[in-house]
Amino acid sequence: MANLVVMGAQWGDEGKGKIVDLLTREADLIVRFQGGNNAGHTLVVGEKTFILHLIPSGILHKDKKCLIGNGVVLDPEILCQEIDNLSANGIEVTPERLVISKKTHLIMPYHKLLDAAREAFKSGEDKIGTTGRGIGPCYEDKMARIGIRAGDFSKLDLLRSKIKKALLEKNVILKELYNQEPLDPEEVFKQIEPLAKRLTPYLGDVSAEIQNANNAQKSVLFEGAQGTHLDIDHGTYPFVTSSNTVAGNASAGAGTSPRALKKIVAVVKAYTTRVGSGPFPTEEKNEHGDYMQQKGSEFGATTGRKRRCGWLDLVILRESVRLNGPTDIALTKLDVLGGLEEIKLCTAYKYKGQTIYYPPQEENSLAEVEPVYETVPGWKEDISTCRTFTELPENAKKYIQKIEQILNVPVTIISVGPEREQTIRR
Ligand code: GDP
Ligand code: IMO
Ligand code: MG
């Protein structure tokens, strides 16, 4: 199989974990290229459910190698916990199976404190509703060129001095602005030191790993986190995450050429969900939204928060297609829509008296649009046992075909349940 990117086309939680786990069978290396443990990717294998936050979703396949790219922000404490949890479930994450780029930035204790303090300090409507994992503050330090990187694990003196320098500024902010106890640099160093020693054997050259694999005709799967509309540039700013989530970042965030990205699979949930704050034009704060929330068990895999739910928004998806250029769509959670009399699809917006087909680009303008809906008949049948396209009820087929026709991208994977087998390939 050719190299491929799997990315979210909406506001995250589209079911990327399941699709990556499925496509891992056809890849040799699986690499995360952005985000951190704000992600929660769920994999259901038989009786067991795994939620992965940092380690690529390919790890359950024991013959595959996983990589954490330079574009990721890595919390060493969480990574060690994740390695231990997998080990307790019979999956050994050895340095032969997991390689961390020396250029990957590290989430430090003060990043988490700042994330929480800043959110707490904001008034109601300004709150982003972050996952509180320190993601934003860590990316800030990366851009400010004062970040600590995984490669520093093997140079403890450097690690100690970088923590000291970073805290010069952080402690003023923590104390003066947020009224918090300043951190002692030596205490922070002592907290990180054992993690550094444990993780040093995992450090490597991710770029070279990818190059070597490709030279040997092996294929690489780039696993996206979050979704296109949480992208720091193209998402609903400021209600976004702090990294580029679009497919193009797979090359910068893993250290490979854009020419290496052959296939791009956009994961699209059959309806829309969002966790945290920010505009959501097709949100249904009523019995329809409740139906999707309950039937789809829409709770955040990282924070446990109830996800906001609404109809499929083809306007934001048109933009996702423009930004990512997917070769394929993986349509997930189609089973959840079963049992509804009618289903709505948002095909355009009304904005400032005009009908528009792409989202307006001004900040927060998505809060001002009015969705234009097309209503289609639903289906009563339980489709979770369907394994071929032909078995699907006519109205489910028509729903899929409408999405293909409007987005002009083939739906080649249809997911009808959380398990590996509950999948239709076309
Ligand atoms: P990710 O962050 O994109 O990997 O998605 P999450 O794991 O956060 O959320 C997706 C949820 O939907 C998980 O609980 C999955 O087990 C579940 N899921 C994935 N695909 C399907 C599907 O086709 N049908 C149903 N009912 N659940 C699914
Ligand atoms: P996966 O990979 C859904 C959201 C948060 C918040 C905003 C900023 O599982 O799809 P952050 O902690 O990143 O600074 O929070 O982004 N968010 C996600 N929403 N799925 C995710 O990841 C998310 N990662 C971050 O809820 O609104
Ligand atoms: Mg998730």
Side-chain angles (χ1 to χ4, degrees):
M1 191 183 70
N3 290 347
L4 90 164
V5 185
V6 175
M7 36 65 55
Q10 292 150 315
W11 278 287
D13 304 326
E14 296 90 351
K16 297 176 291 296
K18 165 174 168 167
I19 301 301
V20 170
D21 175 58
L22 190 80
L23 295 177
T24 289
R25 290 180 213 176
E26 299 157 35
D28 300 286
L29 291 180
I30 299 84
V31 52
R32 277 276 309 266
F33 58 89
Q34 47 72 228
N37 61 308
N38 48 349
H41 297 176
T42 314
L43 291 77
V44 181
V45 185
E47 303 286 282
K48 280 191 175 166
T49 298
F50 296 87
I51 299 180
L52 295 169
H53 299 289
L54 214 37
I55 298 179
S57 299
I59 201 73
L60 300 191
H61 296 255
K62 293 184 179 168
D63 55 333
K64 310 289 173 170
K65 193 165 181 176
C66 292
L67 312 173
I68 295 183
N70 57 278
V72 169
V73 285
L74 183 150
D75 185 330
E77 198 182 336
I78 300 294
L79 180 61
C80 289
Q81 281 173 17
E82 202 155 276
I83 292 173
D84 292 341
N85 285 342
L86 284 165
S87 172
N89 282 287
I91 295 151
E92 296 308 331
V93 185
T94 58
E96 285 68 46
R97 292 205 58 211
L98 179 72
V99 176
I100 303 167
S101 166
K102 292 176 187 168
K103 300 176 188 166
T104 304
H105 280 254
L106 300 176
I107 298 179
M108 302 302 279
Y110 43 85
H111 294 136
K112 292 181 260 191
L113 282 179
L114 282 168
D115 193 357
R118 193 180 285 159
E119 279 284 279
F121 198 69
K122 282 183 177 160
S123 60
E125 62 193 34
D126 291 336
K127 285 189 201 292
I128 292 169
T130 72
T131 59
R133 302 301 193 259
I135 306 295
C138 183
Y139 277 117
E140 284 166 34
D141 278 6
K142 170 176 174 168
M143 295 311 178
R145 294 159 291 183
I146 55 164
I148 293 171
R149 306 202 288 180
D152 302 341
F153 277 158
S154 58
K155 296 179 186 155
L156 292 177
D157 287 341
L158 178 68
L159 180 68
R160 181 187 263 121
S161 83
K162 281 177 108 176
I163 291 173
K164 203 171 166 187
K165 282 184 200 161
L167 277 174
L168 280 178
E169 200 176 62
K170 302 285 183 290
N171 272 340
V172 178
I173 299 172
L174 281 170
K175 191 163 163 261
E176 304 300 331
L177 185 61
Y178 298 126
N179 243 334
Q180 303 224 350
E181 281 295 308
L183 295 182
D184 173 8
E186 195 53 30
E187 287 299 313
V188 174
F189 174 73
K190 279 193 193 135
Q191 209 177 321
I192 303 300
E193 192 184 15
L195 303 169
K197 286 184 175 157
R198 180 170 176 196
L199 292 175
T200 296
Y202 291 89
L203 301 180
D205 185 341
V206 165
S207 203
E209 293 277 349
I210 295 172
Q211 185 184 27
N212 293 341
N214 282 164
N215 286 346
Q217 309 304 317
K218 291 182 175 174
S219 60
V220 182
L221 190 161
F222 299 85
E223 175 179 0
Q226 290 81 53
T228 300
H229 295 274
L230 287 171
D231 183 281
I232 183 73
D233 291 303
H234 303 289
T236 44
Y237 194 89
F239 301 102
V240 292
T241 190
S242 299
S243 64
N244 282 114
T245 59
V246 290
N249 191 31
S251 81
T256 190
S257 159
R259 284 193 292 156
L261 315 176
K262 302 290 182 216
K263 276 183 76 162
I264 296 167
V265 178
V267 187
V268 174
K269 196 181 282 189
Y271 47 98
T272 314
T273 63
R274 176 161 204 176
V275 240
S277 329
F280 179 179
T282 63
E283 184 171 15
E284 291 283 304
K285 290 184 186 167
N286 54 32
E287 72 275 15
H288 297 303
D290 292 345
Y291 186 86
M292 298 174 211
Q293 200 276 325
Q294 280 158 27
K295 195 163 175 210
S297 307
E298 294 293 355
F299 290 99
T302 296
T303 57
R305 289 177 288 180
K306 245 188 193 183
R307 293 175 182 151
R308 300 155 66 193
C309 296
W311 301 116
L312 190 70
D313 185 340
L314 290 158
V315 180
I316 66 143
L317 287 172
R318 255 189 218 106
E319 190 174 51
S320 298
V321 169
R322 169 164 85 184
L323 293 168
N324 297 292
T327 52
D328 300 71
I329 285 175
L331 187 69
T332 60
K333 305 194 88 160
L334 190 63
D335 53 305
V336 175
L337 293 180
L340 290 167
E341 201 71 40
E342 289 181 329
I343 301 172
K344 287 188 184 179
L345 296 117
C346 168
T347 54
Y349 295 150
K350 282 259 188 284
Y351 180 63
K352 296 191 169 157
Q354 295 203 316
T355 304
I356 56 171
Y357 298 91
Y358 283 87
Q361 302 288 307
E362 300 83 14
E363 182 159 316
N364 269 326
S365 52
L366 216 56
E368 292 166 43
V369 304
E370 190 195 318
V372 177
Y373 286 113
E374 197 169 311
T375 304
V376 297
W379 57 91
K380 289 265 169 293
E381 298 88 336
D382 170 17
I383 61 166
S384 66
T385 53
C386 293
R387 296 292 176 267
T388 60
F389 187 74
T390 34
E391 283 172 74
L392 289 171
E394 277 314 303
N395 288 341
K397 284 184 198 158
K398 283 187 188 152
Y399 187 72
I400 297 165
Q401 284 157 350
K402 188 164 272 305
I403 294 168
E404 287 184 314
Q405 178 210 327
I406 291 178
L407 298 179
N408 199 21
V409 183
V411 174
T412 57
I413 299 175
I414 301 152
S415 176
V416 293
E419 297 190 28
R420 281 176 179 167
E421 299 69 37
Q422 292 178 299
T423 312
I424 297 170
R425 302 287 291 267
R426 284 163 92 202

